[in-house]
Amino acid sequence: MKNSIQVFFKKIYYPVYLIIFLSLAGPNAEAQYFGFKINSGKISVRLEYTTLNNLVIIPVKLNNQVPLNLVMDTGVRSTILTDRRFTDFLRLPYDRVITINGPGDFSTLEAYVVTQIDLHLEGVTGYDQTILVLSNDYLRLSSVLGSQVHGMIGYDFYNRFVMDFDFPNNTVLLKEPRKFVPPKNYCELPLMIEDTKPYIWATITTGDSATIRVKLMIDTGASHSLLLKEDPDLGILVPEKNITSEIGRGLGGSIEGKIGKINSLTIGDFTFRDVITSFPDPDNYPDTLSIIDRNGTIGGEILSRFRMFIDYRHSKIYLRKNQNFTKKFGYNMSGISVIAEGKDLDNYRISNVRKESPADLAGVRVNDKILTINGYNCEDMTLGEIYKIFNYDPGKMIRVFLERDNEVVKTQFELVDPI
């Protein structure tokens, strides 16, 4: 029998984001131990991870057999696999089928619940887990991130440990909460855990310099800096200088919105200026921000500027500046979105062109394959390196060779900052 559940997907990757919200409650079979546990009786373990567009990607083995790469994501509850080939390969039984309503075109899709799964990390094991498996790879995380990524791991993992994120060194220390001693010389903030998601209070200033207190979700599964829900009653308005753009893709398709800059964002003792901010279009995007009374989300572009301890058990977060704190905020000035294709994910195709953007005015089209950028062969570049070229330096000239209908097309355009 199919169960119906409303699940909203978003989660971030440049130049658009895709954040995933999931509320899934499934039965767990009885076991000697269930949940995540540090192996060998230790009280802490340090994990190494890779970073893709401000997302933390950790290696995980499914039932200690199939290697996966999962996004560490405070925006989801249970582990999600985006490709059912892995569970099919292990011939795992599907406990039940659920229907999913996604943003974009609000399509109804199917997913499967799998129970009694073990997840193995380096020095940590998650016993008797319940996971959600999408019936098809709707999200195409590998293509949009340019590397093999197979899903997300969320609350069931975060809730078990105190996590110390050292972003510049790509490591996270997991520690038993009972042995955790709060760090000195950090900014300590209360953390609100609601429906398995972490929230903090912050303040923003807008174009008229009004100071507004906002409730924001901490979302390690979103690579944007800040997302806000427009609220005229509070004074949260889309900046006068903005661009209309595809700001994300969900299960139902494209999510439209606007991108602009707010004057400042203050979190505890720390203030950021001229913050690039996304504003979802309420007519194109389900009102997920109202499921929990909140004003938006903070993503990896800001979180990666801190040394961060996150402690669900004691409802605390601890922040200290790291070397990336003063890094300039960037966004895609070219106007084109790119996906990675091919066996090695080293073929790059244009998936979206923003209207009236520099690339659009230069004749770049959807489905063009990018061959070279400013003389560099794209097959020798990562997707992140390609976006880095587009995200900064207004006035920079971009020269590209494209493949279109088996012909080579040459064009050029100048990066422009319209906001």
Side-chain angles (χ1 to χ4, degrees), residues 244-385:
T244 299
S245 178
E246 178 190 43
I247 62 171
R249 290 193 63 81
L251 289 177
S254 175
I255 301 169
E256 303 297 321
K258 290 180 171 58
I259 300 174
K261 294 178 183 176
I262 64 166
N263 287 358
S264 70
L265 167 69
T266 298
I267 304 169
D269 299 334
F270 310 103
T271 298
F272 299 95
R273 308 288 180 185
D274 296 324
V275 181
I276 303 295
T277 305
S278 298
F279 295 84
D281 184 348
D283 295 328
N284 179 251
Y285 186 71
D287 196 14
T288 59
L289 297 181
S290 295
I291 294 175
I292 296 292
D293 184 22
R294 62 189 172 97
N295 307 109
T297 63
I298 297 172
E301 175 70 9
I302 284 179
L303 299 177
S304 63
R305 298 162 188 252
F306 292 105
R307 179 74 176 265
M308 178 176 73
F309 288 80
I310 186 164
D311 181 359
Y312 278 44
R313 294 292 182 89
H314 300 104
S315 300
K316 298 287 186 180
I317 188 169
Y318 303 86
L319 301 173
R320 188 177 71 185
K321 294 180 182 180
N322 68 26
Q323 62 211 52
N324 297 321
F325 187 83
T326 58
K327 183 177 68 173
K328 182 181 178 181
F329 290 101
Y331 74 100
N332 187 350
M333 299 181 192
S334 70
I336 60 178
S337 304
V338 184
I339 59 173
E341 298 179 332
K343 179 181 177 182
D344 297 321
L345 296 173
D346 58 359
N347 293 321
Y348 300 104
R349 190 171 302 278
I350 294 171
S351 60
N352 184 271
V353 182
R354 189 176 72 238
K355 291 183 179 180
E356 302 300 318
S357 66
D360 181 39
L361 298 176
V364 178
R365 300 178 186 174
V366 171
N367 290 326
D368 285 350
K369 179 181 177 181
I370 309 177
L371 302 177
T372 68
I373 302 176
N374 289 353
Y376 293 99
N377 189 335
C378 287
E379 289 188 353
D380 298 326
M381 303 172 69
T382 66
L383 189 58
E385 289 169 340

Side-chain angles (χ1 to χ4, degrees), residues 217-230:
M217 186 177 84
I218 297 292
D219 194 351
T220 60
S223 66
H224 64 247
S225 52
L226 180 66
L227 178 143
L228 290 175
K229 176 186 176 183
E230 188 175 15

Side-chain angles (χ1 to χ4, degrees), residues 73-316:
D73 187 352
T74 53
V76 301
R77 182 172 188 171
S78 299
T79 298
I80 303 170
L81 298 188
T82 58
D83 191 338
R84 63 176 290 185
R85 289 179 299 172
F86 302 105
T87 47
D88 286 350
F89 173 77
L90 294 177
R91 298 182 179 180
L92 298 176
Y94 296 118
D95 184 69
R96 65 186 187 274
V97 182
I98 61 174
T99 57
I100 296 172
N101 296 320
D105 297 327
F106 304 100
S107 301
T108 299
L109 309 168
E110 288 188 342
Y112 306 96
V113 177
V114 184
T115 59
Q116 303 180 47
I117 296 296
D118 287 349
L119 299 174
H120 296 263
L121 296 81
E122 187 66 36
V124 180
T125 303
Y127 298 96
D128 196 19
Q129 297 291 294
T130 295
I131 66 174
L132 181 69
V133 182
L134 302 186
S135 60
N136 290 292
D137 188 7
Y138 305 110
L139 298 178
R140 301 181 66 193
L141 289 178
S142 297
S143 292
V144 299
L145 292 174
S147 186
Q148 294 294 339
V149 180
H150 310 107
M152 292 70 62
I153 187 170
Y155 173 81
D156 292 341
F157 186 45
Y158 275 91
N159 184 54
R160 179 62 185 82
F161 307 105
V162 176
M163 298 195 178
D164 169 13
F165 286 92
D166 185 356
F167 289 102
N169 293 309
N170 283 0
T171 65
V172 56
L173 179 70
L174 312 183
K175 193 162 187 175
E176 290 285 353
R178 59 187 172 82
K179 295 291 185 179
F180 175 64
V181 178
K184 296 181 179 180
N185 302 319
Y186 278 68
C187 176
E188 176 185 321
L189 296 173
L191 192 68
M192 298 164 282
I193 309 298
E194 300 179 27
D195 191 26
T196 75
K197 314 299 190 300
Y199 299 87
I200 62 170
W201 288 100
T203 58
I204 61 171
T205 58
T206 59
D208 60 2
S209 298
T211 299
I212 305 166
R213 191 168 184 251
V214 288
K215 183 180 180 180
L216 303 174
M217 186 177 84
I218 297 292
D219 194 351
T220 60
S223 66
H224 64 247
S225 52
L226 180 66
L227 178 143
L228 290 175
K229 176 186 176 183
E230 188 175 15
D231 188 337
D233 292 338
L234 282 179
I236 304 175
L237 302 172
V238 176
E240 184 176 344
K241 296 180 68 174
N242 66 78
I243 55 174
T244 299
S245 178
E246 178 190 43
I247 62 171
R249 290 193 63 81
L251 289 177
S254 175
I255 301 169
E256 303 297 321
K258 290 180 171 58
I259 300 174
K261 294 178 183 176
I262 64 166
N263 287 358
S264 70
L265 167 69
T266 298
I267 304 169
D269 299 334
F270 310 103
T271 298
F272 299 95
R273 308 288 180 185
D274 296 324
V275 181
I276 303 295
T277 305
S278 298
F279 295 84
D281 184 348
D283 295 328
N284 179 251
Y285 186 71
D287 196 14
T288 59
L289 297 181
S290 295
I291 294 175
I292 296 292
D293 184 22
R294 62 189 172 97
N295 307 109
T297 63
I298 297 172
E301 175 70 9
I302 284 179
L303 299 177
S304 63
R305 298 162 188 252
F306 292 105
R307 179 74 176 265
M308 178 176 73
F309 288 80
I310 186 164
D311 181 359
Y312 278 44
R313 294 292 182 89
H314 300 104
S315 300
K316 298 287 186 180

